[in-house]
Amino acid sequence: MIKDLTAEMYWDRTPTPAERDWLTSIADLSPEPYVLDAQLEADHEPTIEPILARDIDGWRANRYIGEIRHQGRTLVIQPRLGVETIMSWISTILNVQVLPRTAQQANGVSNAVTQLLAALWRASVLTAGQHALPRTGQKVSSHGLTVNGRLDGGATARRRAAGHIDLVSTRIMRTYDNAPARAVVLADRYFDSHLAGARWRGPRLDEQLAVLRNATGARPKKPKLYEIQRARYSPITIKWRRAAELSWRILNRDPLGVAAEDESTYGVLIDVAELWEMFVLHCAGLATERFVRHGTTTQTSGHLARSTVDLRRTMGKLYPDVLVGDHPVTALLDAKYKRLGGRRGVDREDLYQMHAYSSTFGAPLAALAYPAVDGALPRDERDSPWQTSAGELSFLTLPTEKNSCTAKLRDWFSEKCV
């Protein structure tokens, strides 16, 4: 077991030569099949990095937490900041309470990965069910001496030709027994079998699941992914598609039910760097009255270079995490889920990246935002702001709690008159 943001020199013990070879084989794996897409935003460009990296301090985990079971061994990557902190970020991002006060801790039955998976799933379902449950329309046919709904002329003619005198009619019946609801109910059963007690859901989720289980039955048939994607959603119920797709992926991968001695590769990874990015975005929105938008989407981007001959041709698409202000952009933030300071110092690539962002978007103020992992203020932050050819650059270590993070960002915005 290792923790993210922690170099090999700080692990509980030094890996053996055989374990180093095994870590190398994990670093060679593509993380894409194992990363659980939380779908916090529909229009989002995911970042893919190796599961493990090696530098002057040895091996370290990158942006993911979770479990990888490979060649009969299991690598567990736990959040250094704690499960409760990551859950609070999810709560802030989705504006739902994902760790109910009535929930009980698993006390050895569950682990950090199980709790985080459940928190992501619970938040997704609670967000989807804020206004309505996933009710869809099903076409139902009936026959009799009176029309019940709309007359089905073709079916009536066929019955008359067969000697029947009744009429065939059709109507649309609204029901909760559909592919999205079945996926959610099955995912609830999945987590219920891995978490201690039934109180982990909270009362609101309990009420929603009771309605869905009453419609689908306690053991519904597992839907196909295309059934979930092709289901009809209204603007009010569209978020149920995300919740159902997340449920289907959890069920399909069964990340918690694979035997560790299996020689195949299984696993589930959560992109905690994405959670940190979205957490900083939401705190920035609370810290200023100016317009704040997420730059890391396909709709909000800039370009490093543009052809002077053909203005439609561009190079180097840029996606800053947080843009403050609109026409002009007054400040931008880029969230970095890594340590600030230490022997590695500030990554040169991050400096070049921020300089490109500032130049492209014309932002006079920019900051790299890191999670505060201890009480010390790194020297790079103490010496901020730094003057660049494009404007001012600051290094900020932000508290991992919402109110404190918002307060520090508000002070920084006020100081800079943003």
Side-chain angles (χ1 to χ4, degrees):
M1 182 182 70
I2 64 175
K3 293 184 178 181
D4 62 1
L5 291 180
T6 305
E8 179 188 322
M9 61 185 299
Y10 299 107
W11 293 0
D12 293 338
R13 64 178 180 84
T14 302
T16 65
E19 288 172 335
R20 290 186 185 279
D21 292 340
W22 179 68
L23 292 173
T24 301
S25 67
I26 289 182
D28 291 337
L29 294 173
S30 170
E32 288 189 79
Y34 315 109
V35 175
L36 193 66
D37 183 8
Q39 298 183 325
L40 301 177
E41 284 201 350
D43 183 24
H44 184 77
E45 289 288 328
T47 301
I48 300 297
E49 294 179 356
I51 300 170
L52 298 174
R54 187 163 43 187
D55 55 24
I56 59 175
D57 292 327
W59 287 106
R60 61 178 173 83
N62 272 331
R63 57 191 295 131
Y64 308 112
I65 54 178
E67 285 187 10
I68 288 291
R69 300 175 183 180
H70 179 61
Q71 297 177 354
R73 299 180 180 180
T74 302
L75 175 67
V76 179
I77 308 173
Q78 290 194 343
R80 184 186 187 279
L81 300 175
V83 174
E84 292 77 12
T85 296
I86 308 301
M87 286 184 175
S88 72
W89 293 355
I90 298 171
S91 178
T92 299
I93 293 166
L94 296 176
N95 195 29
V96 294
Q97 181 65 34
V98 299
L99 189 61
R101 291 186 179 90
T102 57
Q104 293 178 331
Q105 296 301 319
N107 293 330
V109 178
S110 182
N111 56 27
V113 176
T114 312
Q115 294 178 50
L116 287 171
L117 279 175
L120 278 174
W121 178 82
R122 184 171 55 216
S124 180
V125 175
L126 286 173
T127 301
Q130 284 179 334
H131 302 294
L133 293 177
R135 178 181 292 181
T136 58
Q138 290 185 351
K139 194 174 183 180
V140 178
S141 296
S142 61
H143 51 84
L145 297 179
T146 59
V147 176
N148 185 10
R150 178 178 296 181
L151 178 68
D152 187 335
T156 298
R158 288 191 292 272
R159 287 189 65 81
R160 291 289 176 93
H164 300 284
I165 64 171
D166 52 5
L167 306 172
V168 179
S169 52
T170 61
R171 70 183 190 277
I172 301 298
M173 187 173 68
R174 299 291 176 181
T175 177
Y176 294 126
D177 186 9
N178 49 59
R182 290 194 292 272
V184 169
V185 168
L186 287 171
D188 174 69
R189 286 182 54 86
Y190 179 83
F191 284 116
D192 213 28
S193 66
H194 289 88
L195 293 171
R199 298 177 65 192
W200 63 273
R201 297 186 194 88
R204 184 177 161 203
L205 188 58
D206 260 338
E207 292 175 7
Q208 293 178 345
L209 266 298
V211 174
L212 297 183
R213 279 194 297 268
N214 187 53
T216 66
R219 297 175 179 270
K221 181 181 177 182
K222 180 181 173 183
K224 304 290 186 182
L225 182 59
Y226 73 84
E227 293 178 315
I228 295 172
Q229 294 172 337
R230 292 179 183 177
R232 292 188 176 183
Y233 302 93
S234 69
I236 295 177
T237 62
I238 188 61
K239 290 183 179 180
W240 279 105
R241 174 173 175 171
R242 295 191 194 180
E245 288 181 353
L246 179 61
S247 300
W248 185 90
R249 289 186 174 93
I250 290 171
L251 294 168
N252 193 53
R253 294 176 188 178
D254 189 19
L256 307 175
V258 180
E261 61 271 12
D262 193 315
E263 288 294 323
S264 302
T265 301
Y266 299 89
V268 59
L269 298 171
I270 297 171
D271 189 347
V272 71
E274 180 187 3
L275 296 179
W276 170 245
E277 174 188 317
M278 298 299 297
F279 175 74
V280 172
L281 171 68
H282 281 72
C283 289
L286 297 172
T288 178
E289 295 181 356
R290 288 185 177 270
F291 179 63
V292 175
R293 56 187 162 138
H294 193 199
T296 315
T297 66
T298 57
Q299 301 299 318
T300 305
S301 62
H303 297 89
L304 190 60
R306 186 179 297 274
S307 171
T308 59
V309 176
D310 184 354
L311 296 180
R312 295 172 299 178
R313 292 199 61 196
T314 58
M315 288 186 180
K317 188 170 284 190
L318 301 174
Y319 297 103
D321 292 339
V322 182
L323 295 168
V324 180
D326 192 23
H327 306 301
V329 174
T330 56
L332 59 85
L333 295 165
D334 207 58
K336 297 297 180 185
Y337 188 70
K338 58 182 71 170
R339 286 175 178 270
L340 174 60
R343 290 197 297 167
R344 298 174 66 236
V346 177
D347 287 345
R348 182 184 301 176
E349 293 79 7
D350 294 341
L351 291 174
Y352 291 162
Q353 184 183 51
M354 286 304 291
H355 187 270
Y357 288 164
S358 298
S359 301
T360 300
F361 289 91
L365 299 171
L368 288 167
Y370 303 81
V373 295
D374 51 42
L377 200 64
R379 182 175 179 181
D380 293 325
E381 182 172 7
R382 293 199 306 269
D383 293 341
S384 293
W386 298 70
Q387 190 66 44
T388 70
S389 59
E392 285 189 1
L393 171 63
S394 296
F395 300 98
L396 300 176
T397 51
L398 298 178
T400 57
E401 188 271 327
K402 181 182 74 172
N403 293 335
S404 300
C405 180
T406 301
K408 184 163 183 176
L409 283 172
R410 185 182 294 115
D411 291 343
W412 186 72
F413 288 145
S414 301
E415 214 175 89
K416 304 301 179 182
C417 299
V418 175

